[in-house]
Amino acid sequence: MKKANDIFGIKYAICQAPMLGVATPEMVAAVSNTGCIGTLPLGGLPTSLNEQLILKTKSLTNKPFIVNLFLNPVVDINKEEIDNMQDELTNLGKQIGYTHQRIETFEQDGYTQNLELVKRLGLKYLAFTFGCFNDQEIEELHHHNIYLIGTATTVEEAVFLDNKGIDAILLQGIEAGGHRGSFLKDSLEDNLPLEDLFDRVFPLVNKPIFVAGGLYSGQIGKKYLDKGAAMICYGSLYIGSDESAAMDYQKELLNQGKPVETKLTKSFSGKFARGILNEYINYIDNSNNSIPYFPIQNILTQKLRSFAKQKKIHNFNSLWCGTNAHYARKESSFNITNKLIKEVYDL
């Protein structure tokens, strides 16, 4: 089975994970410039902005990098559910001086335009999450020599992607920060710690397996390479980096080196995501109202989150990170990656 070195033409089988809102072109390029590979998150962003981000990354490195898309389906509108949530957000906003403006229409952009952008710009490595391409799309993308990397949170999802002919499977352990890549079930059922997930999936699939979730050192990652993983992916480790777009508050909190309490919650976006437990999460999760599914809840809370970020009211913002995020390193992404290389390859 191929290793990442052969797949991407890179020197080291180490990847920086696609953290929307954290990863920047500068971070992605810095990682790729070490001989590893960075991932640029495009999911949920306008195509025009994504083109700028891709071109910026290309201007900073001539090395390969991966781009990541969201394949979430368009969901039905439940007006009663949405109205109830908007009432909750109105009441909650009063606590911090935020006035919730009720939203009546919900634009749910598909991934088609971003997919066309990937093809037009000649990108060769495409990761995706929250779903899977259909057979026709897979055939067409392969016709364009685009290497496809699908995200799986369960054994069932990994086998599904393998049967679909996806080129590589990224296993996301329950420890991972940010959104779960789940797409067959909207639950945490069958979501396993990374080690258990890898051990169960590895004998069942024929494709290269990449692993992510809770990795915080080269030594931990090396164990997966030794067991047969094709690549090891690090996310939260980069939250505190110089190139990270994370809020300074989160960087400083993680830089203290003490574990932080995280929780998997739908409260901000309508899809399970792991982040630092705070007042907002407790309020919404403990309310009696159902939470509209992604991306509806994400749209409903967008302005509240922006307000909280602007006013530095951190108890009302999403601070995505994994269970081992307190190992985040406060230095350049280039140095963080070089230290990982030394740890993984005993250099």
Side-chain angles (χ1 to χ4, degrees):
M1 193 176 293
K2 283 187 175 181
K3 294 290 186 179
N5 314 62
D6 300 317
I7 295 167
F8 302 109
I10 57 178
K11 192 171 183 180
Y12 307 108
I14 299 171
C15 176
Q16 158 258 314
M19 300 168 286
L20 184 65
V22 172
T24 60
E26 289 79 10
M27 178 189 293
V28 175
V31 173
S32 289
N33 284 336
T34 65
C36 301
I37 194 163
T39 309
L40 183 68
L42 305 180
L45 300 177
T47 306
S48 57
L49 175 58
N50 282 334
E51 181 164 5
Q52 294 176 31
L53 294 172
I54 292 168
L55 294 177
K56 178 67 173 179
T57 307
K58 283 189 167 187
S59 75
L60 296 171
T61 183
N62 60 1
K63 305 294 184 181
F65 62 91
I66 303 166
V67 294
N68 180 270
L69 290 181
F70 291 170
L71 305 192
N72 53 286
V74 173
V75 298
D76 294 332
I77 300 297
N78 183 326
K79 190 175 188 307
E80 181 181 0
E81 184 181 61
I82 290 171
D83 286 344
N84 289 338
M85 180 54 65
Q86 298 209 79
D87 290 340
E88 289 282 18
L89 295 175
T90 297
N91 294 331
L92 188 57
K94 291 176 181 176
Q95 299 182 26
I96 60 172
Y98 166 76
T99 301
H100 177 70
Q101 301 292 327
R102 297 185 80 85
I103 302 172
E104 303 299 335
T105 58
F106 297 86
E107 295 289 336
Q108 299 185 62
D109 296 328
Y111 56 81
T112 305
Q113 287 188 324
N114 280 323
L115 196 56
E116 290 303 315
L117 176 67
V118 168
K119 290 188 286 188
R120 176 163 62 84
L121 295 182
L123 302 177
K124 294 303 179 186
Y125 306 108
L126 174 59
F128 56 91
T129 189
F130 303 164
C132 183
F133 294 112
N134 61 42
D135 293 341
Q136 183 179 346
E137 290 169 333
I138 293 170
E139 182 178 354
E140 182 181 356
L141 290 165
H142 281 156
H143 178 73
H144 282 82
N145 296 316
I146 297 175
Y147 192 87
L148 301 176
I149 306 157
T151 306
T153 61
T154 65
V155 175
E156 184 182 9
E157 288 176 346
V159 171
F160 180 94
L161 294 171
D162 188 28
N163 291 337
K164 277 286 188 180
I166 301 306
D167 300 299
I169 299 165
L170 171 64
L171 296 182
Q172 186 187 40
I174 196 69
E175 306 94 334
H179 283 91
R180 306 296 297 152
S182 307
F183 63 94
L184 292 182
K185 290 182 182 177
D186 178 31
S187 73
L188 297 177
E189 184 183 2
D190 303 326
N191 280 223
L192 300 169
L194 180 59
E195 186 171 9
D196 294 341
L197 183 60
F198 178 83
D199 288 345
R200 291 183 60 181
V201 168
F202 188 73
L204 300 178
V205 303
N206 297 310
K207 306 295 168 41
I209 295 176
F210 307 160
V211 294
L215 304 183
Y216 61 88
S217 71
Q219 290 85 352
I220 297 294
K222 186 177 187 299
K223 292 180 181 179
Y224 286 96
L225 293 180
D226 290 344
K227 290 169 69 171
M231 187 162 68
I232 47 179
C233 304
Y234 295 80
S236 295
L237 194 65
Y238 289 93
I239 291 176
S241 70
D242 298 341
E243 297 81 6
S244 166
M247 288 184 287
D248 289 340
Y249 167 81
Q250 185 174 6
K251 291 184 179 184
E252 293 301 328
L253 186 64
L254 298 179
N255 191 50
Q256 295 175 16
K258 297 182 295 185
V260 294
E261 186 175 3
T262 65
K263 183 182 180 182
L264 284 162
T265 179
K266 290 185 175 182
S267 60
F268 283 107
S269 71
K271 189 170 182 65
F272 278 115
R274 184 182 293 281
I276 297 171
L277 182 63
N278 60 22
E279 185 179 344
Y280 171 89
I281 293 174
N282 278 330
Y283 182 95
I284 297 297
D285 281 355
N286 293 325
S287 71
N288 294 321
N289 289 322
S290 61
I291 298 173
Y293 193 61
F294 182 92
I296 305 303
Q297 180 73 352
N298 198 57
I299 295 170
L300 289 174
T301 65
Q302 186 173 18
K303 289 185 178 179
L304 171 63
R305 287 178 281 125
S306 296
F307 178 88
K309 183 176 182 178
Q310 180 184 1
K311 299 293 184 181
K312 301 188 187 311
I313 306 172
H314 307 299
N315 264 332
F316 283 71
N317 222 316
S318 51
L319 303 170
W320 303 137
C321 62
T323 56
N324 293 317
H326 57 291
Y327 288 97
R329 300 174 181 177
K330 195 176 181 182
E331 54 185 316
S332 72
S333 298
F334 188 83
N335 287 345
I336 291 171
T337 311
N338 274 320
K339 287 181 179 180
L340 280 176
I341 292 168
K342 291 176 182 178
E343 293 169 1
V344 172
Y345 293 95
D346 298 323
L347 299 178

